[in-house]
Amino acid sequence: MYNLLLVDDEKSILDGLYYNIDWNELEIRDVFRAADVPSALEILGSHHIDIVITDIRMPGTDGLTLCDRILKLNSYTKIIILSGYKDFDYAQRAINIKVFRYVLKPLEYEALKLIVAEALSEIKQDLQQSFIVEEAKKKIDQIRPFIQERYLNLWLEKGMEAPWKTSGALAETGLDIYPGDYGFFVTIKVDEWISQPVNSSIVNIALKDLSFQLLCENCRTITYHSMTDSYNLLFLSQDRGWLNLLFKQIVDRLEFFQLSITESLGCTVSIFWDFPVELAKIGEAYQGISERIRRRIGMLSGGILGPEADDKKQSSELKTLLKRPSLLTLLSTFQREKLTGRIAEIFKELRQPEYQTQDNILQTYHAVTGTLISDSLQRNVRINQWGKNYKEFFEASNTLISLEVFEDLCYGAINQYMDYIANMQLTQNRKVVEKIKYMIEEQISSDISVSSLSRAFNYNSNYLSRIFKLETGTALQDYIIQVRIEKAKALLAQGERVSDVSAKVGYENFPHFSRIFKKVVGVSPKQYQVNFTG
């Protein structure tokens, strides 16, 4: 069914058009009338109008101005102009703004009815064509990911002519790649599934989300799941200087990225990266990473490997210092047991005769102190706040001390730092918990919840609940209920209406309040009030 709008400043003409044509025969459901342009525009703004029949001359604004505004609102609306003037200029303007028909008064109702029927027929054709186009777009959108993957496969895996030379083909894929781009790869290879394997499409989406959150949120990134089952992130920019800065930032964050993949997807992964190159060399860079992945099949997993990682290392270098997650990752995520265990591994290797070199001792010293200093700076904590007993240890490395003393100093410095941070965190947590309690008391009549509190304090809701329970022994949600019920009991004891009490303690839904109250207190709010007041 369709809607029609009649516009004419002469009431007799308007009523004649309205009453003397059986619009229902033309599948027109509603017929609206307007005596001037403002009224017509108001109707057009509040209803979907398919056909407009309008006079050309009206007080204030002429019909052609109205037509122009109608077509800007909806290009599918069909406009029929009725004019009492044989004015070529009006007719020409009407043609220019693409009105459906320009006819002269007087016009028989049956003739107008036929013109409206033609307009409706054209509307149906337009809608059909629009539907076909939209359906085609939907189908293209559905298959576009497959087109993109095939294109990337042909380019990166099979050496098809590069995209900057076939820009037309590239545009059809919708890939966000342009001539003049520079880029670099970060490639993720799943080494082992700790939990149930996840579908590759889900992995691809998860990696892109993690990349956005942890590596870069404001750059062009293309994901590609290769034929050899590696997951590739291609970072692109036309600004080489900016991309180089981004590259350094991303490489520094890869350990946290790797750890997040393990925690989110339940798998161990190795990560490979290469330096930024111009677009012409992207395929070559990808092939280089693929070759490195092939060479490492069956070898130690869990690494983060740049181009230099393939160079043969001297047999005397400490392998435990290269293990992942790194010392800094273990410290920053506060995994004390794993961190001290890693230190034990390092010194076990360091005690073997072939590894007892001055270079290895210095490397270990700088790895431990550098880790402590880096984490301390990130937390905005000065070393002299926690490391007074280790001042000499941080000021100079004395390689003449025994390995036993050196190991004790490392353990001591790490444990003292972690104890200090733990106590500092406890103090901060205690302050946060006190503020939470105060806010709950002050806003108990509002819709306060764990979610609203987490937003107010800028904490993750799970983390906020955890520190609250550690401090109080009570879950945050349970504490909110306790405060509400205690407040309700006090108000009921004062004789206030039960429904009023419900609203004053933050329960808009009275039956819900009654159920919670009875569950906690053992009797209904009304019964509690009767029992208390006698």
Side-chain angles (χ1 to χ4, degrees):
M1 300 294 286
Y2 303 92
N3 294 333
L4 172 74
L5 172 62
L6 303 171
V7 186
D8 203 300
D9 60 330
E10 292 188 32
K11 188 175 184 302
S12 59
I13 294 176
L14 205 57
D15 290 344
L17 292 171
Y18 185 83
Y19 291 110
N20 293 314
I21 297 177
D22 187 353
W23 297 111
N24 287 328
E25 286 185 2
L26 296 173
E27 298 182 77
I28 291 176
R29 181 182 59 192
D30 293 321
V31 180
F32 299 90
R33 288 175 286 177
D36 52 45
V37 171
S39 301
L41 290 172
E42 187 176 340
I43 293 169
L44 287 159
S46 56
H47 298 85
H48 175 79
I49 302 297
D50 299 288
I51 297 177
V52 176
I53 300 175
T54 179
D55 189 14
I56 199 166
R57 284 193 178 178
M58 288 175 288
T61 307
D62 66 25
L64 289 176
T65 302
L66 172 64
C67 295
D68 189 46
R69 295 183 68 174
I70 291 170
L71 293 172
K72 284 178 180 176
L73 287 171
N74 185 1
S75 61
Y76 290 108
T77 301
K78 301 301 176 186
I79 301 171
I80 300 167
I81 291 180
L82 298 180
S83 174
Y85 301 92
K86 297 180 180 179
D87 192 318
F88 176 78
D89 181 56
Y90 276 124
Q92 186 66 40
R93 285 172 59 197
I95 292 168
N96 289 341
I97 61 174
K98 298 181 181 178
V99 300
F100 179 73
R101 197 67 54 85
Y102 184 95
V103 294
L104 296 175
K105 298 177 184 178
L107 183 70
E108 293 183 359
Y109 292 129
E110 284 302 315
L112 180 59
K113 190 174 177 181
L114 288 173
I115 292 171
V116 172
E118 289 178 32
L120 288 173
S121 177
E122 191 167 304
I123 287 173
K124 291 175 184 176
Q125 291 177 11
D126 290 346
L127 291 175
Q128 180 65 24
Q129 185 177 4
S130 175
F131 174 77
I132 292 170
V133 170
E134 288 302 316
E135 287 299 303
K137 286 180 179 178
K138 286 180 185 178
K139 289 179 181 178
I140 290 172
D141 288 341
Q142 288 171 357
I143 66 172
R144 180 164 278 120
F146 301 101
I147 294 172
Q148 292 177 347
E149 186 164 320
R150 180 175 179 275
Y151 187 88
L152 289 168
N153 175 261
L154 290 170
W155 173 33
L156 299 173
E157 308 276 357
K158 299 185 178 179
M160 181 195 76
E161 190 174 19
W164 65 93
K165 294 181 180 177
T166 54
S167 56
L170 179 61
E172 290 174 4
T173 68
L175 284 167
D176 206 8
I177 302 175
Y178 306 97
D181 272 342
Y182 297 88
F184 64 92
F185 276 105
V186 170
T187 298
I188 300 96
K189 182 69 176 175
V190 176
D191 296 319
E192 181 182 3
W193 287 100
I194 301 168
S195 55
Q196 189 71 19
V198 177
N199 179 277
S200 60
S201 298
I202 296 173
V203 175
N204 227 19
I205 294 168
L207 289 176
K208 190 160 188 177
D209 287 344
L210 285 171
S211 168
F212 179 80
Q213 294 170 23
L214 302 176
L215 300 181
C216 179
E217 62 182 28
N218 61 345
C219 61
R220 280 187 287 130
T221 308
I222 291 173
T223 58
Y224 168 55
H225 180 217
S226 75
M227 294 178 67
T228 54
D229 209 28
S230 66
Y231 298 89
N232 302 273
L233 299 169
L234 174 57
F235 298 94
L236 294 162
S237 175
Q238 297 211 322
D239 186 336
R240 188 167 194 169
W242 180 84
L243 191 71
N244 286 335
L245 291 174
L246 174 68
F247 164 75
K248 292 174 184 176
Q249 170 187 300
I250 286 177
V251 170
D252 287 343
R253 294 177 179 177
L254 286 179
E255 286 184 9
F256 296 99
F257 183 56
Q258 184 185 50
L259 186 64
S260 297
I261 293 171
T262 299
E263 291 178 349
S264 302
L265 296 175
C267 60
T268 58
V269 299
S270 293
I271 297 179
F272 300 80
W273 55 266
D274 211 336
F275 295 105
V277 293
E278 60 190 31
L279 194 60
K281 296 182 179 178
I282 287 288
E284 184 181 330
Y286 174 81
Q287 290 297 331
I289 287 178
S290 298
E291 180 58 30
R292 278 190 271 145
I293 292 173
R294 283 192 288 271
R295 290 206 304 267
R296 291 189 62 82
I297 291 175
M299 297 175 68
L300 183 68
S301 64
I304 296 176
L305 303 143
E308 74 282 359
D310 292 325
D311 297 335
K312 291 184 178 180
K313 303 295 181 182
Q314 294 180 4
S315 60
S316 61
E317 287 189 355
L318 290 171
K319 295 180 177 62
T320 46
L321 281 178
L322 302 175
K323 286 186 69 174
R324 305 290 176 173
S326 68
L327 296 177
L328 180 58
T329 299
L330 293 173
L331 181 61
S332 63
T333 53
F334 230 73
Q335 300 181 65
R336 188 193 293 254
E337 188 175 337
K338 289 185 178 180
L339 179 58
T340 53
R342 180 69 59 77
I343 296 296
E345 288 181 46
I346 291 169
F347 276 92
K348 181 179 179 181
E349 188 178 18
L350 200 54
R351 285 191 179 90
Q352 297 176 31
E354 66 269 29
Y355 295 109
Q356 286 187 26
T357 66
Q358 185 172 354
D359 283 346
N360 281 344
I361 293 171
L362 277 171
Q363 193 176 3
T364 302
Y365 167 80
H366 288 299
V368 173
T369 56
T371 294
L372 288 166
I373 292 168
S374 179
D375 192 76
S376 185
L377 289 172
Q378 286 181 6
R379 297 179 193 270
N380 200 25
V381 174
R382 295 191 302 275
I383 295 172
N384 61 11
Q385 290 178 253
W386 62 270
K388 293 178 181 177
N389 297 338
Y390 294 90
K391 185 178 179 182
E392 291 184 4
F393 181 60
F394 280 99
E395 287 180 349
S397 58
N398 186 352
T399 57
L400 297 177
I401 59 176
S402 68
L403 280 179
E404 287 72 19
V405 173
F406 182 23
E407 186 174 7
D408 287 343
L409 286 169
C410 290
Y411 282 127
I414 287 169
N415 282 311
Q416 183 158 317
Y417 174 70
M418 296 189 83
D419 288 343
Y420 179 87
I421 296 300
N423 289 330
M424 183 180 75
Q425 193 66 52
L426 283 173
T427 303
Q428 291 175 343
N429 290 349
R430 201 166 291 123
K431 289 179 180 178
V432 169
V433 167
E434 290 305 314
K435 289 180 180 178
I436 289 171
K437 287 181 176 179
Y438 177 77
M439 183 176 284
I440 292 170
E441 292 283 352
E442 289 295 305
Q443 301 181 19
I444 198 64
S445 62
S446 65
D447 186 22
I448 198 163
S449 64
V450 175
S451 297
S452 66
L453 288 167
S454 65
R455 287 193 297 271
F457 288 91
N458 199 26
Y459 277 98
N460 176 277
S461 57
N462 291 330
Y463 178 74
L464 193 66
S465 298
R466 188 162 62 249
I467 65 173
F468 189 90
K469 188 165 186 178
L470 284 172
E471 280 294 314
T472 65
T474 304
L476 180 52
Q477 183 60 45
D478 292 340
Y479 182 81
I480 295 170
I481 293 172
Q482 286 176 14
V483 174
R484 281 180 165 149
I485 297 304
E486 289 303 314
K487 178 72 171 176
K489 287 164 68 177
L491 293 171
L492 290 168
Q494 294 170 15
E496 293 205 25
R497 291 173 56 190
V498 177
S499 58
D500 292 342
V501 171
S502 174
K504 286 183 178 181
V505 296
Y507 290 104
E508 294 296 330
N509 185 317
F510 176 73
H512 180 60
F513 163 66
S514 187
R515 284 195 300 273
I516 295 292
F517 189 95
K518 188 173 183 178
K519 182 178 179 181
V520 175
V521 182
V523 295
S524 69
K526 188 64 180 175
Q527 188 61 51
Y528 177 85
Q529 191 173 53
V530 170
N531 293 345
F532 191 88
T533 58

